[in-house]
């Protein structure tokens, strides 16, 4: 969804690839929630979105490629439902790595819909990486202080 937790995701992927001598494929997929908008965007802006997505991922990979020069990396950017694109890539993989959605502590660990869909249809093992905790003062709401609900 964003680059916010890409460090955790890429670290796990590069570490596994380096340890096993595997290559790494980074898949970035998106679609729009509205079916009509999806059709229009796919016809009119598909090349722009693919180019922007590829630049985005390549930028995120800059430092990782330098730290792991022996790991071959490819990038696949697709206009598709993320769960479907990741599952399709996982059909040819030995491991799929996903980062868990960050949630406030009072919800506990939580998997988003993409992770649940990939786990249900995975043809290979799936590694779910926890996000690093956010620093104090993040956007997480404060539910209570001294036993009183905040309004």
């Amino acid at each position: 969804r964003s680059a916010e937790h890409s460090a955790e995701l890429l670290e796990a992927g590069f570490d596994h690839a380096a340890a096993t001598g595997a290559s790494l494929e980074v898949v970035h997929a998106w679609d729009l929630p509205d079916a009509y908008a999806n059709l229009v965007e796919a016809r009119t802006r598909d090349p722009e979105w693919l180019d922007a997505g590829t630049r985005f991922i390549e930028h995120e990979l800059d430092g990782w490629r330098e730290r792991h020069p022996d790991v071959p990396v490819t990038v696949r950017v697709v206009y598709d439902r993320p769960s479907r694109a990741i599952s399709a890539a996982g059909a040819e993989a030995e491991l799929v790595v996903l980062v868990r959605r960050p949630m406030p502590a009072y919800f506990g660990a939580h998997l988003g819909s993409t992770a649940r869909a990939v786990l249900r249809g995975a043809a290979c093992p799936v590694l779910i990486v926890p996000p690093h905790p956010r620093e104090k003062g993040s956007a997480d709401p404060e539910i209570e202080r001294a036993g009183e609900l905040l309004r």
Side-chain angles (χ1 to χ4, degrees):
R1 255 175 228 221
S2 73
E4 182 180 4
H5 294 284
S6 64
E8 297 96 305
L9 184 66
L10 293 173
E11 179 179 21
F14 272 98
D15 285 351
H16 176 78
T20 62
S23 61
L24 180 66
E25 180 178 52
V26 179
V27 177
H28 178 66
W30 77 97
D31 70 345
L32 298 173
D34 178 86
Y36 178 73
N38 236 344
L39 290 173
V40 171
E41 287 296 317
R43 284 186 38 186
T44 60
R45 299 196 49 194
D46 196 40
E48 293 173 43
W49 285 81
L50 291 174
D51 186 49
T54 301
R55 283 194 318 270
F56 170 76
I57 296 301
E58 292 292 345
H59 174 73
E60 291 299 311
L61 289 171
D62 281 346
W64 293 100
R65 283 184 164 142
E66 291 172 13
R67 286 190 288 269
H68 298 276
D70 295 336
V71 174
V73 181
T74 58
V75 174
R76 185 189 307 189
V77 178
V78 294
Y79 189 70
D80 194 1
R81 186 176 316 136
S83 59
R84 186 170 36 214
I86 294 167
S87 294
E92 305 165 10
E94 66 180 51
L95 179 71
V96 170
V97 182
L98 299 170
V99 68
R100 185 175 47 77
R101 169 184 286 181
M103 295 296 286
Y106 51 86
F107 282 134
H110 176 74
L111 293 179
S113 59
T114 299
R116 287 192 312 271
V118 170
L119 281 169
R120 276 193 304 271
C124 67
V126 177
L127 173 63
I128 305 291
V129 179
H132 291 310
R134 291 188 235 178
E135 293 181 21
K136 193 131 177 97
S138 71
D140 284 343
E142 190 173 338
I143 294 299
E144 63 179 291
R145 183 182 308 131
E148 291 182 4
L149 290 176
L150 297 177
R151 300 191 199 289

